[in-house]
Amino acid sequence: MTSIVEAAVPADQLGLAATLRAVPDTRVDAVRTVAAGSESMLPVLVFDGHYEDVEPALRDDPSVASVSPLATLEKECVYQVEWTADASDRLETMFPEEGAVMRTRAADEKWCFRALFADRGPMEEWYHGCRDAGLDVDVESVHDPTESVRSRQHGLSRKQYVALETALQHGFYDIPRKVTLEELADEFDVSHQALSERLSRAHRSTIANVVAADFPVARVE
């Protein structure tokens, strides 16, 4: 059965620990992840904060071999990173070859990520491999999606995801709106109050997943 695992590991066991300590309010998102065995792991990183704070810390970080600035914006900076051999080996152990990494983030001196496995067997092998390599993996949740992987990516239940998708398709979020809440509720054969509450919970989960510094950030109801 397909499983989505959400896990965290201390940054000092993977990489960027020095950077996260030097710039404690920063958050790091991987723009893309590369499967183990490829030439580079997590090569492009987006940092919250000003480059004058982030870049010196990143260049001094013992887990980083080289840094190439890609973009310096007002509140973000983007870098292409080459890891040291030790850090690269640890990252290859942490990020599963048998799974698809859906999201990766570092903040508060730890790395968090969400990965999709085809079944529990490879997931358990990955977990024990990480522990054997000395990585203190903290599995925060394991979810077996039965209907939708996309809904779980945003912390939504299946009903919440469908409600948002239907509302968008019917023009509920257009200006001006093309459908009323009452008309939309008829599509689901529920009261407008019940649909309003479902949409509100969906909005909160979606927004939390976008702006929160860590995840998982929403309980699937």
Side-chain angles (χ1 to χ4, degrees):
M1 178 180 291
T2 300
S3 296
I4 295 176
V5 61
E6 294 172 331
V9 68
D12 60 6
Q13 296 180 7
L14 281 183
L16 294 189
T19 300
L20 294 173
R21 283 193 294 268
V23 193
D25 56 345
T26 195
R27 180 185 65 188
V28 187
D29 286 290
V31 173
R32 66 183 178 92
T33 55
V34 179
S38 298
E39 292 182 358
S40 180
M41 290 290 297
L42 309 183
V44 180
L45 304 175
V46 181
F47 293 78
D48 285 351
H50 198 273
Y51 75 94
E52 290 182 348
D53 298 320
V54 173
E55 188 165 326
L58 189 58
R59 292 189 180 279
D60 290 340
D61 196 303
S63 65
V64 175
S66 66
V67 177
S68 299
L70 297 180
T72 53
L73 310 176
E74 182 178 355
K75 295 182 180 180
E76 291 182 345
C77 40
V78 186
Y79 294 95
Q80 183 170 345
V81 173
E82 181 180 346
W83 303 97
T84 62
D86 287 345
S88 182
D89 288 344
R90 292 193 297 269
L91 287 166
E92 287 184 7
T93 299
M94 180 65 189
F95 292 96
E97 186 174 4
E98 298 296 329
V101 178
M102 302 162 66
R103 187 177 180 186
T104 308
R105 174 170 292 171
D108 298 325
E109 298 190 40
K110 66 179 179 179
W111 283 87
C112 300
F113 81 103
R114 181 178 292 150
L116 174 70
F117 290 86
D119 56 57
R120 289 292 182 96
M123 183 186 70
E124 292 175 357
E125 290 178 7
W126 159 80
Y127 174 79
H128 291 299
C130 288
R131 301 292 293 189
D132 291 343
L135 298 176
D136 296 325
V137 179
D138 178 16
V139 175
E140 298 178 347
S141 71
V142 177
H143 176 69
D144 298 328
T146 56
E147 296 182 79
S148 174
V149 169
R150 290 178 297 173
S151 64
R152 182 56 182 169
Q153 280 187 269
H154 303 285
L156 302 171
S157 69
R158 175 61 178 170
K159 287 184 177 180
Q160 290 169 356
Y161 185 89
V162 171
L164 286 180
E165 184 178 43
T166 304
L168 182 64
Q169 291 174 346
H170 283 68
F172 183 72
Y173 297 109
D174 291 358
I175 301 174
R177 284 180 173 171
K178 295 179 181 178
V179 65
T180 67
L181 183 63
E182 289 77 9
E183 292 169 336
L184 196 60
D186 290 340
E187 294 284 330
F188 296 95
D189 195 24
V190 299
S191 69
H192 73 277
Q193 180 63 33
L195 181 58
S196 176
E197 292 175 359
R198 187 180 301 175
L199 288 172
S200 293
R201 289 193 293 269
H203 295 159
R204 185 187 184 283
S205 295
T206 303
I207 293 168
N209 267 280
V210 172
V211 304
D214 201 358
F215 60 86
V217 297
R219 183 183 301 277
V220 174
E221 300 174 358

